[in-house]
Amino acid sequence: MAEVGKGVNAGKLASNVQKRITRAQEKVLQKLGKADETKDTAFEEEVAKFNKQLADGTKLQKDLKAYMAAVKTMHECSKRLQDCLAEMYDPEWFGKEEVDSIAEDTDLLWQDFQQKLVDSALLSMDTYLAQFPDIRARIAKRERKLVDFDSARHHFASIQKSKKKDEAKIAKPLALVEKAAPGWAQGIITAHQIAQTNLSRSQAEEELGRAQKVFEEINYDLQEELPTLWDSRVGIYVNTFQSVAGLEEKFHIDMGKLNHNLSDIMTKLEEQRLAKKSVPTANTGKSEEAANHNLSESASDPPKSPAKSREGPPVSQPPRPASSQEVNQDNTINPLEDAVVPDINSSTHPQNEAPTVTNGSSDAELPPSVLYKVKVMHDYGATDSDELDLKAGDIVLVLPFANPDEQDEGWVMGVKESHWLQNKNLLAKGVFPENFTQKL
């Protein structure tokens, strides 16, 4: 049995080698113009579309993988940044638990975005491109079978031509045969030659029919599949880019919410820092100019006016600050008299007397950047162009510094409420010593 198997394999190998030789000879004859070649223009156009579709799909798959790699890199960078913030964030700072939760949610959001990109876009492209290798192999096989068909067709045609020549030769027997063979033998020789010719013709015709059948079967299948495959590219492109666009939109919306929450926490942390800011005892720069005023000190000690290292206009001494008991008494409103609201601009008030706690505007009318309000307890004359000139009783809207590093201890930024009510802008803002005011 082993010997039989070896013989079959050897015979098949010899047959394949003979087919390759025959195809090579046929291609050479076609290129030299000595043999005609079967052409199918419509099929060649479908093959050109197939090659373009394969090239486009391969490029899209490559770019999707590059996009996925970039998303993975962004995820890793975002995680390191969030981890850095969580490590630096002191436990007593505002929103420590919220910051840790945002870092965790951000990491999960990136992971979900990556996985959905793989499932809805990358895997779909892999499935789409998986069908191309088989079809490309069948296109190459069709080309080989077409060469076999042309070769069989040309071989059959040559047998047909040689048959006529043989019949002419048979009609004129060779002189040697006529002399050597008796008359009755000459008919046998002629019949044998005709039989050989007919056998070769029959074999060539059978080979032609077999080659034509194999070629037409594979050609028919490809003629049906290639146009359908070409049309399918629209669907895969639509699904791929719709998936990517939808996932990106949802990801950025969810990420925007997390970033907004983190920004709010940072804003409140800055407010916490300003609220906990202690009154300075020894300052440099502008803080050396601010007086170290404490309302709990003796009422006989007024706050020191800022002393500028640069020469400037003299600053008047403020009157004795009212004690906390007096302030409370002055600010107490009798329920029976709540219908009467004193006018802080009335000329009946003494010049240095502080008017009531009555605000000129409601909180709803204030710009969103206002941190809180303060009431000026003592006059302060501005000694620099970036300072506010204040009178006792003025209401000031305190604003955050654009750059917190520019803030000196003991000084705050603000704008007079009267300016805001009249002009509805914050252009006339300036700095002033915090110890000359009382927070409302």
Side-chain angles (χ1 to χ4, degrees), residues 155-201:
H155 178 62
F156 179 73
S158 65
I159 292 294
Q160 288 285 74
K161 292 179 180 179
S162 64
K163 178 184 176 183
K164 295 180 180 179
K165 294 180 180 179
D166 291 340
E167 290 177 351
K169 291 181 179 179
I170 292 172
K172 298 178 180 179
L174 296 176
L176 293 177
V177 174
E178 292 177 349
K179 294 178 181 181
W184 61 266
Q186 294 180 6
I188 297 176
I189 295 174
T190 302
H192 175 73
Q193 291 178 344
I194 293 175
Q196 288 292 334
T197 303
N198 290 336
L199 178 62
S200 300
R201 181 178 181 277

Side-chain angles (χ1 to χ4, degrees), residues 67 105-106 108-114 116-117 120 241-259:
Y67 176 78
D105 292 344
T106 301
L108 292 176
L109 187 60
W110 275 108
Q111 292 180 13
D112 182 67
F113 180 49
Q114 285 182 270
K116 288 182 177 178
L117 280 175
S120 62
F241 286 98
Q242 272 188 346
S243 298
V244 173
L247 290 173
E248 275 193 356
E249 181 183 17
K250 184 179 184 304
F251 171 77
H252 289 303
I253 289 175
D254 294 340
M255 186 62 72
K257 294 177 181 178
L258 293 177
N259 290 334

Side-chain angles (χ1 to χ4, degrees), residues 96-110:
K96 170 60 176 174
E97 294 182 358
E98 288 80 355
V99 169
D100 293 340
S101 177
I102 289 175
E104 182 178 354
D105 292 344
T106 301
D107 182 50
L108 292 176
L109 187 60
W110 275 108

Side-chain angles (χ1 to χ4, degrees), residues 393-407:
D394 286 346
I395 302 298
V396 183
L397 309 179
V398 178
L399 305 171
F401 278 78
N403 184 0
D405 294 335
E406 296 179 356
Q407 182 177 6

Side-chain angles (χ1 to χ4, degrees), residues 244-287:
V244 173
L247 290 173
E248 275 193 356
E249 181 183 17
K250 184 179 184 304
F251 171 77
H252 289 303
I253 289 175
D254 294 340
M255 186 62 72
K257 294 177 181 178
L258 293 177
N259 290 334
H260 180 73
N261 294 339
L262 182 61
S263 178
D264 288 345
I265 293 174
M266 295 296 103
T267 300
K268 292 178 181 178
L269 176 61
E270 175 63 11
E271 293 176 358
Q272 181 189 55
R273 183 185 74 85
L274 293 176
K276 290 184 177 181
K277 202 173 184 63
S278 60
V279 178
T281 56
N283 305 312
T284 59
K286 269 193 178 287
S287 28

